[in-house]
Amino acid sequence: MMTLNPSKVIFTENPHGYTLNGLPLSGVTGLIHDVLRLGVYPDADDFTREVAIPRAAEYGTSVHHAIEAWDTRGERVTVHPKTPRFIDRYHPETEWDVARELDTYIRHKRGYTAVANEYTVSDNIRYASNIDNVWLKDDTRGIWLVDTKTNNLKYYPGGESGLKEYLSWQLSVYAELFERQNPGIKVEGLAANWLRKDQGEFWVIDRKPGRLVDILLSTECFHDPATGGFDYFPPAEIGECLGRDLVPSYPTADSEGEGGALAKQVGRHIILGIYDTKARMDAAKAEYDTLTAGLREVMESNGVKSWDAGCFKATIAADSETTQFDTAAFKKAHPDLYKAFTKKSVRKGGFTIKLREKTA
């Protein structure tokens, strides 16, 4: 059996995290979510974030544990207790039964031999992660890195294609770190097991160019002890990884002057959070204005002044005259009188944010 070099990184499952010489390292998942914005649910409500996503994660963890027990000990351990807060009238089961997922995994594995499960790889600087499965292909004797996903493709951002794009980055980073950790062993292929109840697919995943993976891995990250999370500051070349003609521009941690210093203190998640939120606000206001203008036009054409739509009530007020004082004209005609009846005061300066045009 092929022997792989062990990592010096220590992995803890609960809480999930990686440390090297006592210092925390970021997982690859957080890097891809935050920098490439893949696999992110931007419009998730509190219930989705606090219950639905953690419940799905626990289900996925049960599948992973079943696979590991099969590969390492040859045991079928397919029933796992469910956390009580995930049990409700829509999900009354008290246990996760992942026998169907394990059976599908075993079928997908035909023609391959398991070399390692949950194999830790790292750049030993900033990032580390566990590779779900390292397989040896029986006919070519080549190494394949395989990830297992249990996502509901109906709700996953971008559906199946979105998940495959995420996997392409995830597994490509794994391949780069794997080859650094095991000089002389080249990764032959990348693949993913998508397992969900009675459904299952085995996808061969494209590997990203090494240059793009190196750019992504050069992203600076800083651990926030207060939250346990990380702030990420990608290099200027990150646009090449995003694969878009236009990407938002923002200062990076190594920028000179106040821009870089502030970027470190504020955190990239705040910078991009403001950018993304305001962009959505502006787009929502433009759509709202268009919709309300259309509603008013229909009401006016039908002579309707007030209309109750059930979920809202629309009213067209009667036209009215207004009188405005022409301050500029009065000041020009009576400067002394204007001066006598005005007073100065200090008003705190406003705070505005204007989105800049995206730059390549």
Side-chain angles (χ1 to χ4, degrees), residues 29 44 60 101 125 182 241 253 264 278 302 329 337:
T29 296
E101 290 84 348
I125 303 172
N182 296 278
C241 297
K264 273 187 179 180
K278 182 159 176 53
N302 286 276
L337 196 56

Side-chain angles (χ1 to χ4, degrees), residues 166-187:
Y166 174 89
L167 282 162
S168 182
W169 279 105
Q170 181 187 28
L171 288 167
S172 295
V173 171
Y174 289 175
E176 174 64 28
L177 298 181
F178 178 94
E179 291 174 348
R180 292 184 191 179
Q181 194 164 302
N182 296 278
I185 302 180
K186 292 296 182 183
V187 174

Side-chain angles (χ1 to χ4, degrees), residues 21-226:
N21 299 323
L23 299 177
L25 302 182
S26 167
V28 171
T29 296
L31 171 68
I32 296 174
H33 283 176
D34 197 273
V35 176
L36 302 183
R37 308 301 291 170
L38 295 174
V40 177
Y41 296 78
D43 301 319
D45 57 21
D46 289 343
F47 176 82
T48 300
R49 286 193 302 270
E50 298 171 10
V51 179
I53 291 178
R55 178 167 51 209
E58 186 174 275
Y59 158 61
T61 299
S62 298
V63 173
H64 282 79
H65 285 169
I67 290 172
E68 186 172 10
W70 175 261
D71 280 348
T72 58
R73 305 191 302 274
E75 298 178 3
R76 288 182 61 85
V77 183
T78 59
V79 176
H80 303 268
K82 183 188 290 187
T83 300
R85 73 188 185 98
F86 299 144
I87 302 172
D88 54 40
R89 60 175 178 166
Y90 301 107
H91 308 85
E93 303 83 5
T94 59
E95 297 175 321
W96 297 107
D97 185 348
V98 296
R100 291 171 292 178
E101 290 84 348
L102 179 60
D103 289 340
T104 304
Y105 169 82
I106 294 172
R107 289 196 300 272
H108 289 175
K109 189 183 164 189
R110 289 171 185 164
Y112 298 86
T113 300
V115 175
N117 287 73
E118 301 299 328
Y119 177 64
T120 304
V121 291
S122 175
D123 63 355
N124 297 319
I125 303 172
R126 307 181 188 95
Y127 301 106
S129 196
N130 285 348
I131 303 174
D132 289 346
N133 305 102
V134 180
W135 285 355
L136 185 69
K137 194 172 185 183
D138 295 341
D139 56 357
T140 65
R141 310 306 292 171
I143 285 291
W144 283 64
L145 306 184
V146 185
D147 196 78
T148 297
K149 296 297 184 192
T150 58
N151 304 83
N152 187 334
L153 299 182
K154 180 180 178 181
Y155 299 109
Y156 189 86
E160 180 178 322
S161 61
L163 181 56
K164 286 180 177 178
E165 176 66 8
Y166 174 89
L167 282 162
S168 182
W169 279 105
Q170 181 187 28
L171 288 167
S172 295
V173 171
Y174 289 175
E176 174 64 28
L177 298 181
F178 178 94
E179 291 174 348
R180 292 184 191 179
Q181 194 164 302
N182 296 278
I185 302 180
K186 292 296 182 183
V187 174
E188 181 180 82
L190 309 175
N193 286 300
W194 177 68
L195 310 173
R196 190 169 183 83
K197 310 303 180 185
D198 292 319
Q199 299 177 293
E201 299 285 347
F202 182 77
W203 299 324
V204 174
I205 301 298
D206 293 333
R207 184 169 177 175
K208 297 294 183 183
R211 166 174 163 72
L212 298 186
V213 174
D214 287 342
I215 290 174
L216 180 62
L217 285 174
S218 69
T219 297
E220 294 281 353
C221 70
F222 298 91
H223 181 249
D224 184 348

Side-chain angles (χ1 to χ4, degrees), residues 247-306:
V247 298
S249 175
Y250 47 84
T252 58
D254 57 357
S255 299
E256 295 182 0
E258 290 185 357
L262 277 175
K264 273 187 179 180
Q265 295 182 50
V266 171
R268 181 177 177 274
H269 67 289
I270 294 180
I271 297 172
L272 282 189
I274 290 174
Y275 184 94
D276 291 342
T277 302
K278 182 159 176 53
R280 291 199 303 270
M281 288 170 55
D282 292 347
K285 185 178 186 307
E287 182 179 8
Y288 177 81
D289 291 344
T290 299
L291 293 172
T292 53
L295 173 59
R296 177 167 185 154
E297 182 180 349
V298 172
M299 289 175 62
E300 289 178 338
S301 65
N302 286 276
V304 176
K305 297 296 184 182
S306 181

